[in-house]
Amino acid sequence: MKFRLVLGLVAFGAMTSAVQAQELVGQGPIIASYYNEEMSVPRGWSVSYGGTRDGMEIYSFIVDYETSTPFTRSLSADDQLKRIFCDGDILESWVRDGMRVAAGKVWFDEGNWNVVPPVKPISCG
């Protein structure tokens, strides 16, 4: 999976305009898989790609507070999305060049599911 992401990112890495960033929309499932399988993910956390809504790529972070640690309860979905998109040159350039990505959060705690929908796109920097 990591090889596919790197290969895909390298293929698009030279693109720099806002129009070219828009061509990269739809890579969400690969990016979500990269987070889940290759990154250091907080205990009890995972992400799924939710598609495009209102011109934004939507990611939903699913958190099981019953298996997570007290530290991971304080983490935000936006901060986790920034880890994905703002900690590397290629994905960060996509955001800077106009790709809009937003994070929502769904968590399970004390037998209940709670939802915070994505509000606004993240920015790097």
Side-chain angles (χ1 to χ4, degrees):
M1 177 58 66
K2 185 175 185 177
F3 176 75
R4 284 191 331 184
L5 177 67
V6 170
L7 184 61
L9 295 178
V10 168
F12 293 115
M15 297 182 180
T16 58
S17 74
V19 172
Q20 290 167 325
Q22 289 304 312
E23 292 176 12
L24 303 173
V25 171
Q27 300 298 315
I30 294 171
I31 294 167
S33 291
Y34 175 74
Y35 175 86
N36 291 326
E37 297 171 16
E38 302 295 334
M39 291 183 74
S40 174
V41 178
R43 185 176 177 175
W45 285 65
S46 66
V47 69
S48 74
Y49 174 68
T52 303
R53 186 172 65 226
D54 299 327
M56 288 189 291
E57 296 285 292
I58 304 296
Y59 293 84
S60 293
F61 287 87
I62 299 95
V63 184
D64 183 350
Y65 284 155
E66 294 183 358
T67 63
S68 66
T69 64
F71 168 75
T72 61
R73 287 178 176 255
S74 65
L75 299 175
S76 77
D78 281 350
D79 287 343
Q80 290 302 300
L81 195 62
K82 286 179 182 181
R83 280 185 60 219
I84 298 170
F85 280 91
C86 300
D87 287 348
D89 293 337
I90 295 171
L91 292 178
E92 182 176 2
S93 72
W94 292 1
V95 172
R96 290 188 189 276
D97 291 337
M99 182 180 215
R100 297 175 63 216
V101 293
K105 185 174 179 182
V106 178
W107 73 93
F108 184 75
D109 191 23
E110 297 180 6
N112 297 310
W113 286 100
N114 303 281
V115 178
V116 174
V119 177
K120 64 181 182 172
I122 61 157
S123 62
C124 297

